[in-house]
Amino acid sequence: MGSRKLGVALTGTVAAMLVATACGSSQVSDSELAGSWDEIVSAASDEGAVTLYSSHAPANLEALKLAFEEEYPDISLTYVRGTDADLIPKVEVENQTGNSVADVHMTTDAGWVHRGADSGQFSVPVVAPAVEAPDYRAEDAMLGDTFFMTSATSIGLAWNTDEVPEGLETPQGLLDPRFDGRVGVVSPAGFPAVVHIYKRMDIDYADGFVEGLAQLNPQIYSSGPGVTQALASGEVWVAPGASMDVLVERDKGAPVDFALPPNPIGVPFYSHVLSAAPNPNAAQILAEFMLTEKGQEALSGNYISVLPGVPGTGVEGSDVVAQDLETADPESIEPDAVTEYVGWWEGLFLG
């Protein structure tokens, strides 16, 4: 496994964790968490709303909203989609001021997740029974008793099928000189997860792979969706660090395809119930739902699920679940390390 910390042993009862919920954070919501799980469900219906901050794909968040509201018609789910760079400061300010909008926060910023888990400042323990299901593998999926893995994307190889009908079998095949000027890459500036991806390329793809990319005069984009759209339009032909959003475009009829390399690079989404949540009971219900098969089918469609065998998730021919992916070493994506790497990368790619 990667560098993730092992989750604490779960008690098997909601009641024991409710005590920790009342005492374990510096900023507690004015509303209280109800007692038993059945009482939490009832109280969540009375709250009637829950808000999620997330950097996940918009289509998946919309699918989650529809599935959740079908399951819990008395609770309206609002999601705010943004980058981690946009949403994390909002979470921090809301926590400091107590003027909170979000109930649950989902992020791929592994460095912030580890700092948040260590500080205990932003989260309360998740009491959703689903975290104790054997298939969830909480020992691999949780950081302490607050941050829980909810989905993952795996970075892989993508190509335009009109221009590269034979596809790509290995990362080294992408370094072919015929792709000069036709490679799409994402700038790592402001994105610790992207820094992690580039660092892993030099480990999992080949030593010096990133420098080889720079020699191909790649087109640089500010986000993964930008690369995906460039692939679909033929502006670029190949991408070494594409996200699984490519599969969504392929299913819509775009001339693109995607494959996992032998050593896939994983980027997990971690979620946590916020200590300043205005709807603490509905927040726990959302956490529970996201870890059910129905929730995973919505949230992890064309992504990698945290549960095995969920229809529409993963990559054909692979039985990898999110907990199997190598995750980032927190020290490698601390702010100073990220700044240093971005400076090196920009010198290499931008001259």
Side-chain angles (χ1 to χ4, degrees):
M1 301 304 299
S3 61
R4 87 174 55 92
K5 299 177 182 177
L6 295 182
V8 298
L10 300 178
T11 64
T13 65
V14 172
M17 297 189 70
L18 295 179
V19 174
T21 302
C23 304
S25 66
S26 60
Q27 177 67 55
V28 180
S29 169
D30 291 337
S31 301
E32 294 184 359
L33 194 61
S36 69
W37 184 252
D38 286 343
E39 289 170 329
I40 290 172
V41 174
S42 177
S45 295
D46 291 339
E47 289 169 352
V50 65
T51 298
L52 170 67
Y53 284 179
S54 177
S55 57
H56 213 305
N60 294 67
L61 294 174
E62 183 64 20
L64 176 67
K65 172 181 172 64
L66 294 174
F68 178 81
E69 291 180 350
E70 180 180 16
E71 188 78 8
Y72 296 99
D74 294 333
I75 308 173
S76 175
L77 170 59
T78 298
Y79 62 84
V80 177
R81 199 274 174 186
T83 67
D84 290 332
D86 294 329
L87 295 177
I88 287 174
K90 290 173 67 67
V91 168
E92 293 175 342
V93 169
E94 290 180 15
N95 178 270
Q96 291 167 2
T97 64
N99 186 23
S100 185
V101 173
D103 297 295
V104 179
H105 172 221
M106 183 189 302
T107 177
T108 60
D109 188 333
W112 190 88
V113 166
H114 279 268
R115 292 192 296 274
D118 288 343
S119 75
Q121 181 178 356
F122 303 102
S123 321
V124 294
V126 57
V127 302
V131 300
E132 299 187 35
D135 279 347
Y136 181 58
R137 291 168 44 189
E139 69 275 12
D140 297 321
M142 292 191 68
L143 298 178
D145 56 6
T146 54
F147 283 83
F148 56 103
M149 193 181 296
T150 38
S151 186
T153 185
S154 184
I155 300 307
L157 310 175
W159 59 92
N160 180 289
T161 54
D162 290 339
E163 303 294 346
V164 191
E166 73 280 14
L168 295 169
E169 295 184 357
T170 66
Q172 291 80 0
L174 189 142
L175 298 181
D176 192 310
R178 71 190 174 107
F179 296 137
D180 189 277
R182 295 295 188 175
V183 180
V185 299
V186 178
S187 168
F191 297 105
V194 178
V195 169
H196 165 62
I197 290 166
Y198 280 116
K199 288 185 175 184
R200 292 305 307 184
M201 284 181 182
D202 278 338
I203 297 171
D204 296 324
Y205 287 3
D207 185 30
F209 184 86
V210 174
E211 291 185 1
L213 274 182
Q215 294 173 10
L216 291 175
N217 302 302
Q219 303 293 321
I220 301 172
Y221 298 87
S222 61
S223 68
V227 172
T228 299
Q229 292 304 314
L231 282 167
S233 69
E235 183 173 296
V236 298
W237 296 355
V238 293
S243 76
M244 295 175 70
D245 291 335
V246 172
L247 295 172
V248 176
E249 297 304 312
R250 183 194 66 184
D251 292 348
K252 293 178 181 177
V256 293
D257 211 345
F258 176 92
L260 288 180
N263 297 308
I265 301 170
V267 180
F269 291 88
Y270 280 95
S271 298
H272 57 132
V273 174
L274 293 166
S275 54
N279 303 293
N281 296 285
Q284 296 287 345
I285 298 301
L286 177 58
E288 166 78 6
F289 182 75
M290 288 194 292
L291 300 182
T292 65
E293 182 170 330
K294 187 174 180 180
Q296 281 295 297
E297 191 170 354
L299 183 61
S300 297
N302 281 324
Y303 278 70
I304 297 178
S305 175
V306 296
L307 299 177
V310 177
T313 67
V315 177
E316 186 176 353
S318 173
D319 58 0
V320 168
V321 294
Q323 294 90 322
D324 295 329
L325 298 172
E326 190 79 13
T327 56
D329 175 359
E331 292 185 4
S332 73
I333 50 176
E334 285 295 321
D336 289 346
V338 168
T339 299
E340 180 181 356
Y341 188 89
V342 169
W344 174 83
W345 189 97
E346 290 180 341
L348 190 65
F349 281 78
L350 301 176

